[in-house]
Amino acid sequence: MTAIMNQPIRVENLYKTYGDVNAVKKVSFSVNEGEIFGLIGPDGAGKTTIIRILVSLLRADSGRISFKGRDVAGNTAFVRANIGYMPQRFSLYPDLTVDENLNFFGDLFRIPKAIQIQRKERLFEFSKLAPFKKRRTGQLSGGMKQKLALSCMLMHEPQVIILDEPTFGVDPISREEFWCILKSLAQNGTTVFVTTAYMDEARLCDRVGLIFEGDVLAIDTPDKLLKSFTGSLYRVGSASPHTAYEKLQNNPMFVSVDLFGDGIHITGDQALTVNKIKNEMERLALSYSAVSKIHPEMEDLFLSLMKK
Amino acid sequence: MIAVEVKELTRRFGNFTAVKKVSFSVRKGEIFGFLGANGAGKTTTIRMLCGLLVPSSGQARVAGLDVYTEYEQIKKNIGYMSQRFSLYEDLTVRENIRFYGGVYGLSRAQIKERTEELLSFLKLHEQAHKLTASLPLGWKQRLALSTAMLHNPQIIFLDEPTSGVDPVSRKNFWLLIYQLASEGRTIFVTTHFMDEAEYCNRVSIMQDGVIAELDSPQELKKKYHASNMQSVFMNVVKRAQNEPDSF
């Protein structure tokens, strides 16, 4: 019983439609205390719908979400008092300064002034926004805005935080910084539920759910997910990857062919070898720089699950 | 032939210099990647090149036209698509195309002809009568590209065109970009996906208002002994951040 009471988030057979669009189709998963759980998938996969139901902004058609053992649908006040929610679209006041936004959220959650000051100091330590205290929020860069939004949400020290695509449109360096902050929050016991469309962020989570068109394709730790990849994967380096892709995409020798940066990834059955690929490239007069067997990345797995 | 030529281009906002004496040129038919951290000056540069913002100093010519004096002409010669597709959700695909045709001042006959061409090119024929709101994001993205290309521009600016799009649609979008480039169109693209930087012929990396690096992905990877553009980017931006600030 206590285990259920402590389980931060449990989603059971969740179903939601908008008109004739099935946004979420019988989705089930749970988020454990102190972990970083990532729901990973492109726009339109159903991530935001699930989050909006979780924070009680939207009702499910059927199924349920429990927060610490209580159905979110009947416990709005309890849910909102105990979670931190960072919505997808930036929702801070652009005309207020960094400092004023933090004060505003502190007051909103009725945090005594003296404690607000302490917390702001701590939040500035990790956000490194102290030099910009007096800057208007509208004048911050994208990465800074996201760190401020996170800080505002942390003013009431929620045990469970829910972030909807916090790194959307954020550059790779700021994304890395943002994830370091999430890691340190989780190490201090905060439960983190985060969504993203960036496949490479999967490896930063303790567990991930891959979601596409309202269906959860797979849930596990990143390592175990990658081990579940079936078939053998090869990388072919090429100066003209799109040409190689176009010539090879329907080749019956391969299970699938995908464009990947400065080369292509080829999935084949166990009989496929580096030499067979080289011979095929040469037969088709396609140039290549190297062919090697590789371990799959999350995007390889996602693509293979999407096509099933 | 040069599609975009920029010399010592500078833009100040009050006492903040967003773009500092930037120089580069983009060849016709080239896929030019324009990378940089948030706030590095990418958007300011693009707005100046599209004739939406007057530079503080320096020169820039787009399709041979001067950004100071011929900005109206520039708009007729470029296509622009941003990550926030400016499509009307409650119009159908065909209606959105017709609407933008009107915006670009095309005649009825031209709109009709271009609509058919674009629907075929983007494989949107079956969706033509559907409400834009009901389209998956990957298709909205292709529709946004088609509205940016109605007036048959020779230079296309794409500002984070693939953010949030699923991996398959993202790859298909890049195949379209290659096709446009092979027709001789110039593609000027910003992205935060470093695997997409690999697809570009040349890549520039902006940092604090200046261009910190500009070369082909192959040469940049050699220079930084990096296996991919992600680590090149991290190296360039972190190195720049560790250098003492100039003001």
Side-chain angles (χ1 to χ4, degrees):
Chain A
M1 196 61 201
T2 36
I4 289 175
M5 298 301 283
N6 286 333
Q7 183 149 53
I9 298 164
R10 188 180 184 85
V11 178
E12 292 166 282
N13 295 320
L14 200 70
Y15 203 92
K16 177 73 188 175
T17 56
Y18 299 109
D20 51 6
V21 178
N22 297 324
V24 177
K25 304 170 199 166
K26 277 211 156 190
V27 164
S28 299
F29 63 89
S30 51
V31 180
N32 302 320
E33 203 172 351
E35 76 173 351
I36 300 182
F37 184 89
L39 197 56
I40 299 180
D43 277 11
K47 305 188 299 290
T48 300
T49 300
I50 294 170
I51 284 192
R52 291 176 62 87
I53 295 169
L54 167 59
V55 298
S56 69
L57 289 170
L58 194 68
R59 286 252 178 177
D61 293 350
S62 64
R64 61 180 240 158
I65 302 185
S66 324
F67 175 72
K68 291 190 183 279
R70 301 190 206 181
D71 191 336
V72 295
N75 295 283
T76 309
F78 173 72
V79 173
R80 292 191 183 171
N82 287 284
I83 59 164
Y85 166 47
M86 184 169 151
Q88 196 173 20
R89 295 289 162 244
F90 184 70
S91 55
L92 300 178
Y93 294 91
D95 293 337
L96 296 186
T97 64
V98 167
D99 208 35
E100 287 165 344
N101 261 305
L102 289 166
N103 294 342
F104 174 80
F105 279 86
D107 292 345
L108 198 64
F109 284 97
R110 304 201 178 112
I111 313 290
K113 281 286 176 203
I115 296 176
Q116 281 192 30
I117 291 167
Q118 288 171 15
R119 287 193 185 163
K120 277 197 296 188
E121 286 312 309
R122 264 222 316 283
L123 292 170
F124 279 139
E125 266 170 43
F126 78 71
S127 71
K128 302 192 180 79
L129 287 174
F132 307 99
K133 266 182 204 178
K134 302 284 171 219
R135 188 179 287 192
R136 279 198 202 185
T137 304
Q139 310 291 320
L140 299 176
S141 74
M144 285 161 132
K145 279 181 186 164
Q146 293 306 80
K147 284 193 283 188
L148 177 61
L150 177 66
S151 303
C152 287
M153 179 185 91
L154 293 172
M155 280 298 282
H156 72 294
E157 297 200 331
Q159 291 166 347
V160 179
I161 60 173
I162 293 150
L163 308 106
D164 197 3
E165 295 206 37
T167 54
F168 182 87
V170 173
D171 69 73
I173 302 269
S174 305
R175 281 209 283 143
E176 191 180 65
E177 281 175 13
F178 197 89
W179 273 94
C180 283
I181 297 171
L182 295 186
K183 279 274 179 210
S184 70
L185 287 170
Q187 273 158 11
N188 291 321
T190 307
T191 303
V192 180
F193 177 50
V194 58
T195 69
T196 180
Y198 290 103
M199 300 290 151
D200 61 342
E201 293 182 350
R203 69 190 153 77
L204 304 166
C205 302
D206 296 311
R207 286 194 310 134
V208 296
L210 301 179
I211 186 168
F212 183 63
E213 291 182 346
D215 282 314
V216 172
L217 306 175
I219 304 175
D220 216 324
T221 63
D223 279 349
K224 283 187 183 154
L225 279 178
L226 292 178
K227 283 192 182 122
S228 74
F229 185 86
T230 50
S232 45
L233 187 68
Y234 295 85
R235 179 184 170 279
V236 180
S238 165
S240 179
H242 62 291
T243 316
Y245 168 80
E246 280 167 352
K247 294 268 164 62
L248 293 175
Q249 59 173 332
N250 295 317
N251 193 313
M253 249 179 90
F254 312 127
V255 176
S256 72
V257 178
D258 291 298
L259 198 57
F260 255 87
D262 59 350
I264 53 171
H265 285 189
I266 294 179
T267 310
D269 56 24
Q270 295 307 324
L272 190 64
T273 61
V274 167
N275 280 333
K276 282 185 184 171
I277 294 173
K278 283 184 177 172
N279 290 341
E280 186 65 2
M281 297 289 287
E282 279 153 25
R283 190 181 71 80
L284 296 165
L286 292 168
S287 67
Y288 61 89
S289 54
V291 180
S292 53
K293 195 163 197 274
I294 55 166
H295 293 293
E297 291 166 32
M298 201 54 76
E299 188 157 326
D300 294 300
L301 178 68
F302 196 91
L303 284 165
S304 77
L305 294 172
M306 253 178 91
K307 289 171 188 167
K308 271 182 188 162
Chain B
M1 220 186 104
I2 303 296
V4 178
E5 172 123 66
V6 175
K7 272 189 197 147
E8 305 207 329
L9 194 69
T10 299
R11 173 69 206 204
R12 286 180 290 273
F13 294 103
N15 52 17
F16 172 68
T17 308
V19 176
K20 302 171 193 166
K21 293 197 170 184
V22 161
S23 301
F24 62 88
S25 58
V26 182
R27 291 187 305 274
K28 184 177 182 297
E30 188 172 33
I31 302 177
F32 187 79
F34 201 57
L35 313 181
N38 299 116
K42 298 191 302 287
T43 304
T44 304
T45 306
I46 290 180
R47 292 186 63 207
M48 289 191 279
L49 296 180
C50 293
L52 298 171
L53 186 70
V54 182
S56 303
S57 63
Q59 289 139 41
R61 297 186 86 81
V62 175
L65 301 159
D66 189 308
V67 295
Y68 288 95
T69 55
E70 295 168 298
Y71 47 86
E72 284 304 329
Q73 278 300 109
I74 288 177
K75 287 174 199 162
K76 289 185 181 140
N77 283 276
I78 61 165
Y80 173 79
M81 172 187 163
S82 82
Q83 54 168 302
R84 287 191 192 84
F85 316 141
S86 41
L87 298 171
Y88 290 89
E89 296 267 313
D90 43 10
L91 293 185
T92 66
V93 169
R94 198 182 283 280
E95 285 166 344
N96 259 304
I97 295 177
R98 195 193 307 153
F99 172 79
Y100 278 98
V103 169
Y104 285 116
L106 303 189
S107 69
R108 266 168 199 275
Q110 281 173 318
I111 291 175
K112 212 172 167 190
E113 192 190 323
R114 286 295 287 157
T115 303
E116 294 314 311
E117 277 174 25
L118 286 169
L119 289 176
S120 305
F121 174 65
L122 300 163
K123 301 185 177 75
L124 281 171
H125 260 299
E126 278 171 41
Q127 280 70 41
H129 61 282
K130 287 194 179 153
L131 280 188
T132 303
S134 71
L135 294 183
L137 191 77
W139 286 350
K140 281 188 194 167
Q141 176 202 36
R142 274 186 279 167
L143 176 59
L145 178 64
S146 71
T147 60
M149 288 181 43
L150 267 170
H151 52 307
N152 212 358
Q154 292 306 300
I155 304 174
I156 301 164
F157 288 86
L158 304 168
D159 195 2
E160 291 185 40
T162 57
S163 287
V165 178
D166 72 75
V168 172
S169 304
R170 212 151 65 77
K171 291 169 201 294
N172 287 336
F173 190 77
W174 273 93
L175 293 172
L176 283 180
I177 293 180
Y178 280 122
Q179 198 177 332
L180 293 171
S182 69
E183 293 167 2
R185 291 179 217 267
T186 307
I187 311 288
F188 193 102
V189 59
T190 74
T191 180
H192 285 314
F193 287 100
M194 291 304 126
D195 59 332
E196 295 187 347
E198 312 266 6
Y199 300 152
C200 300
N201 299 125
R202 282 188 309 147
V203 160
S204 74
I205 302 177
M206 251 190 125
Q207 172 68 28
D208 291 330
V210 301
I211 288 187
E213 276 298 354
L214 199 172
D215 214 327
S216 68
Q218 294 77 14
E219 289 303 317
L220 288 174
K221 282 185 281 186
K222 251 187 239 168
K223 180 173 173 183
Y224 288 91
H225 307 286
S227 60
N228 55 40
M229 281 303 291
Q230 173 88 14
S231 72
V232 169
F233 185 87
M234 293 302 211
N235 264 302
V236 171
V237 175
K238 280 190 178 153
R239 187 193 60 187
Q241 280 174 350
N242 291 335
E243 281 167 8
D245 212 330
S246 52
F247 58 96

